[in-house]
Amino acid sequence: MPAWNIPILLTWLRILLIPLFTVLFYLPAGWLNNTEINWFAAFLFAAAAITDWFDGYLARKWHQTSDFGAFLDPVADKLMVVVALILLVSIGRTYAIFAMIIIGREITISALREWMAQLGKRSSVAVAQIGKLKTTAQMVAILLLLIYDIPWLGINLIWLGNVFMLIAAILTLWSMFYYLKMAMKEFR
């Protein structure tokens, strides 16, 4: 059984936020107006993003890293992003192609990491700076697209969110090819 500690609990909190985040978009009419739904969803997504950073920081600082935490943390991250992308596509705030690229990459790289771990070479596909940039662009894009209807300095947030989503999609492909290239070096 995995050890329970603050970093693991924060990761579980992120997973538990997913149904709450999702149900916001399916509440009966009149329970919340669209602006309230947008802001609550953005708040929950931001909380999940912050706990993602914070649980990793605490695990390293307090020396509470574990194999279970290393498994659960990326699962929680990917679940939240995938759910957010599917919801944003379904309500017409972003393009399906962006979601397909990002979700396809996540599945591909997760499978690659699992395979490399079975070969004892997981470190060859460890998280790189390009992956961190991709994640940052995704988080910014999703937050902007969740807020949606609040003009900020006269900027259309849907347009800006989709610009960040395009950047995220480009970085997603770039990072996927980077990780595949790193894995291929192990077979030469």
Side-chain angles (χ1 to χ4, degrees):
M1 176 151 178
W4 292 97
N5 54 44
I6 300 293
I8 293 283
L9 291 174
L10 287 172
T11 302
W12 277 113
L13 173 65
R14 219 163 46 251
I15 291 170
L16 294 173
L17 287 176
I18 295 168
L20 186 57
F21 171 82
T22 304
V23 82
L24 283 171
F25 293 93
Y26 294 97
L27 289 173
W31 281 28
L32 295 173
N33 66 44
N34 286 339
T35 300
E36 291 168 333
I37 291 169
N38 293 337
W39 279 101
F40 282 133
F43 173 79
L44 290 174
F45 190 84
I50 290 166
T51 63
D52 177 27
W53 174 84
F54 201 54
D55 68 12
Y57 170 78
L58 291 178
R60 288 184 296 278
K61 181 177 172 126
W62 294 344
H63 306 287
Q64 293 181 341
T65 58
S66 67
D67 290 339
F68 181 68
F71 157 76
L72 191 63
D73 183 66
V75 169
D77 302 342
K78 285 160 186 40
L79 284 173
M80 190 67 172
V81 168
V82 166
V83 167
L85 287 171
I86 291 170
L87 282 168
L88 288 168
V89 169
S90 74
I91 59 178
R93 295 188 190 173
T94 195
Y95 302 98
I97 188 70
F98 294 149
M100 289 185 282
I101 289 169
I102 292 168
I103 294 168
R105 181 263 188 208
E106 297 305 339
I107 292 168
T108 302
I109 299 306
S110 293
L112 178 66
R113 285 190 173 129
E114 178 64 26
W115 184 43
M116 296 305 285
Q118 288 177 3
L119 298 175
K121 300 179 182 204
R122 183 172 174 92
S123 62
S124 66
V125 287
V127 175
Q129 192 63 33
I130 187 69
K132 293 177 183 182
L133 288 172
K134 178 252 337 162
T135 299
T136 301
Q138 281 177 2
M139 298 302 173
V140 170
I142 291 169
L143 279 170
L144 290 170
L145 293 169
L146 287 170
I147 294 170
Y148 175 67
D149 62 353
I150 305 297
W152 181 66
L153 301 175
I155 299 171
N156 178 331
L157 293 185
I158 290 294
W159 176 83
L160 185 59
N162 278 298
V163 167
F164 273 95
M165 195 60 78
L166 175 61
I167 293 167
I170 292 167
L171 291 172
T172 294
L173 290 171
W174 185 358
S175 70
M176 182 177 74
F177 290 123
Y178 170 81
Y179 290 124
L180 290 171
K181 179 180 169 189
M182 298 308 290
M184 290 304 290
K185 287 180 182 179
E186 296 295 331
F187 299 105
R188 289 186 185 161

